[in-house]
């Protein structure tokens, strides 16, 4: 899966975006999944704030969505659940989530657990939640929701060395805490990262190569032509 960009984590509060702006003037917000050949692709969006119309996006060919469900400040995104539900209500078939961990907040298992429960519960946001960032598209074999959530899959967003420890072993322990909790809850899990993020943060560990990789490269070229194996991943 290749996403052509998303608003940088830690950026100031953004604003709602319109369908026309996303589709025509912000190619960096578009996401493309390559299927059988380079000429066949699936179009999607990665959003941090509610678009003006999910139906407009759907009618313009968008078939998957990535919505933010939490923030790197350690708080659940108050718009996350509604954005996911809005995309589903518009008929967008694939809606996933990504979690941008707050390393300094600690409690990696709690961050995963609270995000999962927020996406399962109909009671709304728990103000005491420590969570993180977004939602993402599921590559293949989509077969419904994950762990009873309204999304299909949860991705762990591992990037930004400034958000992590200088100790790769400490970072790996934190990542393990998230993975173990997600697995115990029955969450379908993947990783959003790149070689240039994973290697300094996780020391190039190959432990999680069995999980799907969401490979982000912001070059406006919807292909994997520049991909080289890292971290146990031989392909995106």
């Amino acid at each position: 899966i290749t996403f052509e960009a998303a608003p940088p984590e830690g950026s100031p509060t953004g604003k709602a975006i319109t369908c026309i702006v996303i589709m025509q003037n912000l190619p960096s917000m578009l996401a493309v999944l390559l299927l059988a050949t380079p000429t066949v692709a699936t179009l999607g969006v990665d959003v941090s704030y509610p678009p003006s119309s999910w139906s407009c996006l759907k009618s313009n060919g968008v078939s998957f969505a990535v919505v933010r469900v939490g923030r790197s400040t350690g708080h659940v995104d108050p718009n996350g659940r509604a954005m996911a539900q809005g995309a589903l209500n518009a008929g967008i078939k694939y809606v996933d989530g990504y979690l941008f961990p707050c390393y300094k907040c600690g409690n990696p298992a709690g961050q995963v657990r609270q995000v999962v429960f927020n996406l399962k519960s109909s009671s709304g946001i728990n103000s005491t939640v420590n969570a993180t960032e977004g939602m993402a598209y599921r590559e293949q074999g989509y077969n419904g929701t994950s762990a009873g959530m309204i999304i299909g899959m949860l991705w762990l967003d591992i990037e930004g060395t400034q958000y992590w420890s200088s100790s790769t072993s400490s970072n790996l322990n934190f990542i393990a805490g998230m993975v173990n909790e997600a697995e115990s809850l029955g969450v379908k899990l993947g990783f959003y990262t790149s070689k240039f993020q994973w290697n300094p943060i996780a020391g190039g560990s190959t432990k999680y190569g069995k999980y799907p990789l969401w490979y982000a490269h912001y070059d406006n070229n919807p292909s994997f032509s520049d991909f080289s194996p890292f971290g146990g991943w031989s392909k995106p």
Side-chain angles (χ1 to χ4, degrees):
I1 302 166
T2 179
F3 285 81
E4 287 305 318
E9 177 58 23
S11 62
T13 301
K15 59 183 179 180
I17 46 182
T18 68
C19 175
I20 292 175
V21 168
I22 293 179
M23 300 302 296
Q24 296 180 359
N25 298 328
L26 289 180
S28 65
M29 292 294 291
L30 299 182
V32 178
L33 170 66
L34 299 183
L35 299 177
T37 71
T39 59
V40 179
T42 299
L43 185 67
V45 290
D46 175 1
V47 300
S48 299
Y49 300 92
S52 61
S53 173
W54 283 112
S55 296
C56 176
L57 292 170
K58 174 68 164 57
S59 66
N60 278 275
V62 168
S63 61
F64 70 92
V66 184
V67 305
R68 186 169 70 181
V69 293
R71 304 182 68 90
S72 62
T73 54
H75 300 285
V76 165
D77 189 317
N79 297 314
R81 182 184 177 88
M83 286 193 290
Q85 192 64 64
L88 293 168
N89 290 346
I92 295 176
K93 184 177 181 181
Y94 305 106
V95 180
D96 284 358
Y98 71 86
L99 178 63
F100 196 112
C102 178
Y103 174 85
K104 67 180 181 181
C105 298
N107 192 15
Q111 292 188 38
V112 169
R113 184 168 58 252
Q114 298 281 19
V115 165
V116 170
F117 290 168
N118 184 59
L119 291 171
K120 292 171 67 172
S121 171
S122 61
S123 60
I125 302 298
N126 178 348
S127 61
T128 65
V129 166
N130 284 327
T132 48
E133 196 92 62
M135 294 218 180
Y137 176 67
R138 211 159 162 225
E139 183 184 358
Q140 295 175 351
Y142 182 89
N143 60 356
T145 60
S146 175
M149 297 185 290
I150 62 172
I151 62 171
M153 186 171 177
L154 184 67
W155 302 80
L156 300 179
D157 189 337
I158 310 300
E159 63 175 326
T161 56
Q162 69 270 34
Y163 301 113
W164 292 85
S165 170
S166 59
S167 166
T168 57
S169 61
S170 295
N171 293 336
L172 284 170
N173 286 337
F174 188 96
I175 292 169
M178 293 190 294
V179 171
N180 292 341
E181 182 66 15
E183 290 186 339
S184 73
L185 294 172
V187 173
K188 297 180 180 72
L189 199 63
F191 281 79
Y192 169 102
T193 193
S194 71
K195 176 171 60 178
F196 303 106
Q197 302 293 336
W198 183 255
N199 287 348
I201 293 171
S205 172
T206 60
K207 182 177 181 179
Y208 302 107
K210 68 178 182 179
Y211 295 97
L213 173 67
W214 170 8
Y215 172 63
H217 188 208
Y218 314 123
D219 62 354
N220 292 311
N221 176 16
S223 77
F224 303 140
S225 60
D226 69 325
F227 181 80
S228 59
F230 70 95
W233 291 288
S234 60
K235 64 180 181 179

